[in-house]
Amino acid sequence: MILPIVAYGSPVLRKVCDEITSGYPELNSLIADMWETMYNSNGVGLAAPQINVPIRLFVMDSEQIFENQEEDEKDDYPDAPGFKGVFINAHIVALNGREWAYNEGCLSIPKIREDIMRNEEVTLEFEDENLNTHTKTFNGITARVILHEYDHIEGKLFIDYLKPLKRKLMKRKLDDISKGKIKVDYRMVFPK
């Protein structure tokens, strides 16, 4: 089932999310709905708070970034051909490598894209969809998508990395998003 994406300004996007326990109801169907919602919205990642569920869960698929690259771009990232996975109860173990800029966007903050600095490598401890525990290191564009989605389960947004002046300049656009004065080709819910 395709779920509506929660818009900027909704309190759930600023909440540090709760751990998921093994008896979490309908977890598999929630994950399936998140995949369907993410692909329907042309996203490469989706965190549970973006569908108004404040739990430590996100899905991401950087494989589609590589599939859609031009031939001359394919050698730019060390993580080709990408990674697709479910991350439950993720916690960062280490951030490594230099910080690098990449133009990021967010389904909850449509029509706004900015260059954001992030580390080139992240090591995470997390559980997969079968609640098996992993500790794994990711790099390149995959690490970036993971860090973006990880921020969501920590109540943080990519615009939080911008300098205050830049955020002030986009205040009207952000206000329009939170008031529902925006057109997108996927379903959204706006703060009351």
Side-chain angles (χ1 to χ4, degrees):
M1 176 171 48
I2 296 169
L3 303 167
I5 304 286
V6 171
Y8 173 81
S10 300
V12 71
L13 294 177
R14 292 303 188 175
K15 183 179 184 327
V16 176
C17 294
D18 299 324
E19 296 274 327
I20 298 172
T21 57
S22 60
Y24 193 85
E26 305 294 321
L27 183 59
N28 288 336
S29 69
L30 176 63
I31 292 168
D33 290 347
M34 287 179 68
W35 283 121
E36 191 176 355
T37 301
M38 183 190 84
Y39 289 126
N40 179 71
S41 334
N42 293 314
V44 293
L46 183 68
Q50 291 182 277
I51 54 160
N52 210 17
V53 181
I55 57 173
R56 296 186 77 81
L57 165 64
F58 63 87
V59 299
M60 59 80 59
D61 178 3
S62 61
E63 291 175 356
Q64 56 183 336
I65 295 171
F66 290 98
E67 289 167 7
N68 295 319
Q69 275 185 331
E70 301 296 325
E71 275 308 311
D72 60 337
E73 296 175 314
K74 294 222 187 234
D75 296 330
D76 290 351
Y77 304 105
D79 56 312
F83 181 84
K84 177 181 174 179
V86 175
F87 294 79
I88 296 172
N89 297 333
H91 292 279
I92 292 176
V93 175
L95 287 170
N96 293 304
R98 64 180 176 78
E99 289 193 346
W100 60 291
Y102 187 84
N103 196 255
E104 289 187 27
C106 179
L107 296 173
S108 293
I109 311 173
K111 313 258 192 232
I112 293 180
R113 296 192 66 86
E114 291 293 334
D115 286 343
I116 303 298
M117 298 294 287
R118 293 192 190 270
N119 289 78
E120 59 189 352
E121 188 176 277
V122 61
T123 301
L124 273 190
E125 186 174 287
F126 65 96
E127 295 167 44
D128 62 23
E129 60 273 23
N130 301 311
L131 299 179
N132 296 319
T133 303
H134 304 270
T135 301
K136 196 167 180 171
T137 300
F138 300 92
N139 61 14
I141 200 78
T142 299
R144 174 166 297 274
V145 176
I146 287 170
L147 287 168
H148 178 107
E149 299 310 324
Y150 183 86
D151 278 351
H152 276 299
I153 64 173
E154 290 290 326
K156 199 168 179 184
L157 300 170
F158 83 97
I159 57 172
D160 297 347
Y161 292 94
L162 299 174
K163 294 198 174 1
L165 177 62
K166 192 136 197 169
R167 288 211 28 210
K168 192 172 187 169
L169 292 172
M170 66 173 52
K171 184 178 178 345
R172 180 180 286 152
K173 283 183 182 178
L174 292 171
D175 288 346
D176 284 350
I177 292 168
S178 63
K179 291 174 185 165
K181 296 180 180 174
I182 188 154
K183 288 217 181 301
V184 290
D185 55 4
Y186 51 89
R187 284 177 50 216
M188 292 193 80
V189 288
F190 302 94
K192 299 282 183 262

